[in-house]
Amino acid sequence: MRLDKYLTQLNIGSRSQVKDLIKKGLVTVNGQTEKSPERKIDEMIDVIICQGQTLSYQDKVYYMFHKPAGCVSATEDRRDITVIDFLKKENRKDIFPVGRLDKDTEGLLIITNDGDLAHRLLSPVKHVEKCYLARLAHKITQDEILRIEQGLDIGEEKTTRPARFAWHTEADRDSDTPEALLTITEGKYHQVKRMFRAVGNEVTYLKRLSMGSLTLDERLKPGEYRPLTDIELETLKGELYASRKTGDSI
Ligand code: URA
């Protein structure tokens, strides 16, 4: 890869800023000052020092994104803005959202270039728990809650796996438009909406709060993102890569 491209990918600066740094002699490759932005480097082997700081190439990136309503969970779309449009300044062509949230759904979305981690998070055998906040159009009865918790027919080959239901707040028990927390371990198309629809209700607002051990950082406003912390990433990987009995949920 070209030296200037490498520095840009590491967010040292824009392409023209990093070219300037190189031309000013502030970058060394394997101990030698390098003044040519076109210099080809091997980012896995060469030691690059920029303004006294040794750079290390992080080939995998992981972002926590607070998806707003109105954008689609895709890398490109001809009609709508995509979740990746919010990360333009990262200047990466290889990142993608892990799984999909509906256009009108908000909340936690992981954006990465780590295909293996994405595969594990979405794998139907891993049963990663996903917790959603759902606002309902109508009251919901204990019997309907029980059916949702036990698993019900949403028009798929099999009924849904057991789920956990909780009121968002105590006041929701008596509300005409209650808010519920639903934790599921699958990711079927429109699954939460279809589960409530199967008991005659309707979801009017939906937000994903967590995926496995990862909880949406409420300091992130819709449309904002940040890298996962080392602890978040280690904990998540610990869950996804640990060998465990099939059937357990994460
Ligand atoms: N379930 C839904 O119905 N929609 C989503 O976006 C996610 C889960």
Side-chain angles (χ1 to χ4, degrees), residues 100-106 132 184 187-194 203 206 208:
R100 283 169 189 273
L101 290 177
D102 298 337
K103 187 173 166 185
D104 60 354
T105 300
E106 297 183 1
Y132 293 87
I184 59 173
K188 302 225 163 65
Y189 183 63
H190 293 333
Q191 178 155 348
V192 175
K193 293 173 185 165
R194 286 161 74 200
V203 172
L206 191 62
R208 182 157 65 197

mmCIF file of all heavy atoms in Angstrom, residues 100-106 132 184 187-194 203 206 208, ligand 1:
data_model
loop_
_atom_site.group_PDB
_atom_site.id
_atom_site.type_symbol
_atom_site.label_atom_id
_atom_site.label_comp_id
_atom_site.label_asym_id
_atom_site.label_seq_id
_atom_site.Cartn_x
_atom_site.Cartn_y
_atom_site.Cartn_z
ATOM 1 N N ARG A 100 -29.283 -6.480 10.351
ATOM 2 C CA ARG A 100 -30.132 -5.379 9.896
ATOM 3 C C ARG A 100 -31.087 -4.924 10.969
ATOM 4 O O ARG A 100 -31.654 -5.748 11.687
ATOM 5 C CB ARG A 100 -30.992 -5.837 8.710
ATOM 6 C CG ARG A 100 -30.229 -5.892 7.444
ATOM 7 C CD ARG A 100 -31.019 -6.607 6.352
ATOM 8 N NE ARG A 100 -30.137 -6.819 5.217
ATOM 9 C CZ ARG A 100 -29.949 -5.920 4.258
ATOM 10 N NH1 ARG A 100 -30.605 -4.784 4.264
ATOM 11 N NH2 ARG A 100 -29.115 -6.170 3.271
ATOM 12 N N LEU A 101 -31.279 -3.607 11.043
ATOM 13 C CA LEU A 101 -32.425 -3.064 11.772
ATOM 14 C C LEU A 101 -33.319 -2.452 10.704
ATOM 15 O O LEU A 101 -32.813 -1.915 9.701
ATOM 16 C CB LEU A 101 -31.978 -1.990 12.769
ATOM 17 C CG LEU A 101 -31.184 -2.459 13.989
ATOM 18 C CD1 LEU A 101 -30.747 -1.280 14.842
ATOM 19 C CD2 LEU A 101 -32.004 -3.438 14.837
ATOM 20 N N ASP A 102 -34.632 -2.497 10.922
ATOM 21 C CA ASP A 102 -35.547 -1.909 9.940
ATOM 22 C C ASP A 102 -35.264 -0.417 9.797
ATOM 23 O O ASP A 102 -34.709 0.211 10.705
ATOM 24 C CB ASP A 102 -37.003 -2.076 10.397
ATOM 25 C CG ASP A 102 -37.386 -3.540 10.502
ATOM 26 O OD1 ASP A 102 -36.743 -4.373 9.842
ATOM 27 O OD2 ASP A 102 -38.328 -3.838 11.265
ATOM 28 N N LYS A 103 -35.720 0.146 8.689
ATOM 29 C CA LYS A 103 -35.473 1.575 8.441
ATOM 30 C C LYS A 103 -36.016 2.436 9.595
ATOM 31 O O LYS A 103 -35.397 3.419 9.993
ATOM 32 C CB LYS A 103 -36.139 1.967 7.106
ATOM 33 C CG LYS A 103 -35.818 3.351 6.646
ATOM 34 C CD LYS A 103 -36.362 3.577 5.249
ATOM 35 C CE LYS A 103 -36.368 5.048 4.894
ATOM 36 N NZ LYS A 103 -36.983 5.321 3.595
ATOM 37 N N ASP A 104 -37.166 2.045 10.142
ATOM 38 C CA ASP A 104 -37.744 2.877 11.211
ATOM 39 C C ASP A 104 -37.280 2.452 12.611
ATOM 40 O O ASP A 104 -37.736 3.012 13.609
ATOM 41 C CB ASP A 104 -39.279 2.868 11.128
ATOM 42 C CG ASP A 104 -39.871 1.471 11.279
ATOM 43 O OD1 ASP A 104 -39.105 0.484 11.344
ATOM 44 O OD2 ASP A 104 -41.107 1.353 11.331
ATOM 45 N N THR A 105 -36.411 1.460 12.714
ATOM 46 C CA THR A 105 -35.912 1.025 14.024
ATOM 47 C C THR A 105 -34.648 1.806 14.378
ATOM 48 O O THR A 105 -33.821 2.083 13.515
ATOM 49 C CB THR A 105 -35.594 -0.494 14.006
ATOM 50 O OG1 THR A 105 -36.789 -1.201 13.693
ATOM 51 C CG2 THR A 105 -35.077 -0.972 15.353
ATOM 52 N N GLU A 106 -34.533 2.145 15.665
ATOM 53 C CA GLU A 106 -33.344 2.866 16.143
ATOM 54 C C GLU A 106 -32.499 1.925 16.986
ATOM 55 O O GLU A 106 -32.906 0.827 17.312
ATOM 56 C CB GLU A 106 -33.778 4.040 17.040
ATOM 57 C CG GLU A 106 -34.593 5.082 16.321
ATOM 58 C CD GLU A 106 -34.950 6.253 17.225
ATOM 59 O OE1 GLU A 106 -34.561 6.271 18.406
ATOM 60 O OE2 GLU A 106 -35.644 7.152 16.717
ATOM 61 N N TYR A 132 -34.795 -5.446 22.961
ATOM 62 C CA TYR A 132 -35.448 -4.330 22.262
ATOM 63 C C TYR A 132 -36.427 -3.621 23.188
ATOM 64 O O TYR A 132 -37.113 -4.274 23.987
ATOM 65 C CB TYR A 132 -36.251 -4.847 21.063
ATOM 66 C CG TYR A 132 -35.395 -5.413 19.961
ATOM 67 C CD1 TYR A 132 -34.998 -6.754 19.980
ATOM 68 C CD2 TYR A 132 -34.968 -4.608 18.909
ATOM 69 C CE1 TYR A 132 -34.199 -7.274 18.970
ATOM 70 C CE2 TYR A 132 -34.168 -5.131 17.896
ATOM 71 C CZ TYR A 132 -33.794 -6.465 17.934
ATOM 72 O OH TYR A 132 -33.005 -6.968 16.937
ATOM 73 N N ILE A 184 -34.860 -11.415 22.662
ATOM 74 C CA ILE A 184 -35.002 -12.583 21.783
ATOM 75 C C ILE A 184 -33.608 -13.105 21.432
ATOM 76 O O ILE A 184 -32.619 -12.388 21.579
ATOM 77 C CB ILE A 184 -35.803 -12.243 20.489
ATOM 78 C CG1 ILE A 184 -35.101 -11.125 19.693
ATOM 79 C CG2 ILE A 184 -37.226 -11.856 20.828
ATOM 80 C CD1 ILE A 184 -35.737 -10.848 18.337
ATOM 81 N N GLY A 187 -33.013 -13.709 14.874
ATOM 82 C CA GLY A 187 -33.006 -12.447 14.143
ATOM 83 C C GLY A 187 -33.798 -12.563 12.862
ATOM 84 O O GLY A 187 -33.322 -12.197 11.793
ATOM 85 N N LYS A 188 -35.044 -13.082 12.987
ATOM 86 C CA LYS A 188 -35.859 -13.225 11.767
ATOM 87 C C LYS A 188 -36.327 -11.845 11.312
ATOM 88 O O LYS A 188 -36.419 -10.912 12.107
ATOM 89 C CB LYS A 188 -37.057 -14.119 12.061
ATOM 90 C CG LYS A 188 -36.659 -15.485 12.568
ATOM 91 C CD LYS A 188 -37.450 -16.580 11.891
ATOM 92 C CE LYS A 188 -36.796 -17.923 12.063
ATOM 93 N NZ LYS A 188 -36.753 -18.374 13.452
ATOM 94 N N TYR A 189 -36.619 -11.764 10.029
ATOM 95 C CA TYR A 189 -37.067 -10.504 9.416
ATOM 96 C C TYR A 189 -38.245 -9.916 10.192
ATOM 97 O O TYR A 189 -39.244 -10.605 10.444
ATOM 98 C CB TYR A 189 -37.458 -10.840 7.966
ATOM 99 C CG TYR A 189 -37.878 -9.690 7.117
ATOM 100 C CD1 TYR A 189 -36.985 -8.658 6.832
ATOM 101 C CD2 TYR A 189 -39.156 -9.628 6.592
ATOM 102 C CE1 TYR A 189 -37.372 -7.591 6.040
ATOM 103 C CE2 TYR A 189 -39.561 -8.575 5.791
ATOM 104 C CZ TYR A 189 -38.659 -7.557 5.530
ATOM 105 O OH TYR A 189 -39.042 -6.508 4.756
ATOM 106 N N HIS A 190 -38.144 -8.654 10.597
ATOM 107 C CA HIS A 190 -39.210 -7.951 11.347
ATOM 108 C C HIS A 190 -39.665 -8.740 12.566
ATOM 109 O O HIS A 190 -40.856 -8.707 12.915
ATOM 110 C CB HIS A 190 -40.453 -7.724 10.474
ATOM 111 C CG HIS A 190 -40.258 -6.771 9.334
ATOM 112 N ND1 HIS A 190 -39.342 -5.753 9.344
ATOM 113 C CD2 HIS A 190 -40.908 -6.673 8.152
ATOM 114 C CE1 HIS A 190 -39.422 -5.074 8.203
ATOM 115 N NE2 HIS A 190 -40.349 -5.626 7.459
ATOM 116 N N GLN A 191 -38.767 -9.483 13.193
ATOM 117 C CA GLN A 191 -39.211 -10.467 14.185
ATOM 118 C C GLN A 191 -40.023 -9.876 15.346
ATOM 119 O O GLN A 191 -41.075 -10.414 15.702
ATOM 120 C CB GLN A 191 -38.015 -11.245 14.754
ATOM 121 C CG GLN A 191 -38.467 -12.241 15.816
ATOM 122 C CD GLN A 191 -37.554 -13.396 15.993
ATOM 123 O OE1 GLN A 191 -36.664 -13.615 15.181
ATOM 124 N NE2 GLN A 191 -37.768 -14.164 17.042
ATOM 125 N N VAL A 192 -39.531 -8.796 15.930
ATOM 126 C CA VAL A 192 -40.234 -8.255 17.113
ATOM 127 C C VAL A 192 -41.629 -7.765 16.708
ATOM 128 O O VAL A 192 -42.631 -8.065 17.376
ATOM 129 C CB VAL A 192 -39.399 -7.133 17.766
ATOM 130 C CG1 VAL A 192 -40.162 -6.477 18.902
ATOM 131 C CG2 VAL A 192 -38.061 -7.683 18.270
ATOM 132 N N LYS A 193 -41.686 -7.055 15.600
ATOM 133 C CA LYS A 193 -42.986 -6.540 15.143
ATOM 134 C C LYS A 193 -43.940 -7.702 14.862
ATOM 135 O O LYS A 193 -45.124 -7.650 15.206
ATOM 136 C CB LYS A 193 -42.808 -5.698 13.875
ATOM 137 C CG LYS A 193 -42.029 -4.407 14.130
ATOM 138 C CD LYS A 193 -41.722 -3.691 12.826
ATOM 139 C CE LYS A 193 -40.842 -2.471 13.072
ATOM 140 N NZ LYS A 193 -40.237 -1.950 11.851
ATOM 141 N N ARG A 194 -43.420 -8.760 14.257
ATOM 142 C CA ARG A 194 -44.288 -9.898 13.906
ATOM 143 C C ARG A 194 -44.735 -10.656 15.154
ATOM 144 O O ARG A 194 -45.840 -11.208 15.196
ATOM 145 C CB ARG A 194 -43.564 -10.832 12.938
ATOM 146 C CG ARG A 194 -43.480 -10.227 11.534
ATOM 147 C CD ARG A 194 -42.413 -10.889 10.712
ATOM 148 N NE ARG A 194 -42.768 -12.209 10.256
ATOM 149 C CZ ARG A 194 -41.865 -13.124 9.858
ATOM 150 N NH1 ARG A 194 -40.571 -12.837 9.897
ATOM 151 N NH2 ARG A 194 -42.259 -14.298 9.439
ATOM 152 N N VAL A 203 -46.365 -2.728 16.980
ATOM 153 C CA VAL A 203 -45.238 -1.962 17.526
ATOM 154 C C VAL A 203 -45.219 -0.597 16.838
ATOM 155 O O VAL A 203 -45.191 -0.520 15.610
ATOM 156 C CB VAL A 203 -43.901 -2.703 17.271
ATOM 157 C CG1 VAL A 203 -42.708 -1.825 17.660
ATOM 158 C CG2 VAL A 203 -43.866 -4.017 18.049
ATOM 159 N N LEU A 206 -39.547 1.175 17.891
ATOM 160 C CA LEU A 206 -38.664 0.054 18.248
ATOM 161 C C LEU A 206 -37.221 0.528 18.310
ATOM 162 O O LEU A 206 -36.747 1.246 17.425
ATOM 163 C CB LEU A 206 -38.806 -1.054 17.197
ATOM 164 C CG LEU A 206 -38.156 -2.399 17.530
ATOM 165 C CD1 LEU A 206 -38.781 -3.013 18.794
ATOM 166 C CD2 LEU A 206 -38.325 -3.383 16.361
ATOM 167 N N ARG A 208 -33.235 -1.032 19.525
ATOM 168 C CA ARG A 208 -32.422 -2.112 20.083
ATOM 169 C C ARG A 208 -31.485 -1.529 21.139
ATOM 170 O O ARG A 208 -30.774 -0.560 20.879
ATOM 171 C CB ARG A 208 -31.615 -2.817 18.995
ATOM 172 C CG ARG A 208 -30.812 -3.989 19.598
ATOM 173 C CD ARG A 208 -30.454 -5.043 18.606
ATOM 174 N NE ARG A 208 -29.554 -4.550 17.582
ATOM 175 C CZ ARG A 208 -29.343 -5.171 16.431
ATOM 176 N NH1 ARG A 208 -29.985 -6.282 16.145
ATOM 177 N NH2 ARG A 208 -28.513 -4.669 15.545
HETATM 178 N N1 URA B 1 -37.358 -6.809 14.934
HETATM 179 C C1 URA B 1 -38.057 -5.984 14.126
HETATM 180 O O1 URA B 1 -39.236 -6.140 13.945
HETATM 181 N N2 URA B 1 -37.381 -4.982 13.516
HETATM 182 C C2 URA B 1 -36.075 -4.738 13.710
HETATM 183 O O2 URA B 1 -35.531 -3.785 13.147
HETATM 184 C C3 URA B 1 -35.368 -5.587 14.574
HETATM 185 C C4 URA B 1 -36.030 -6.626 15.178
#
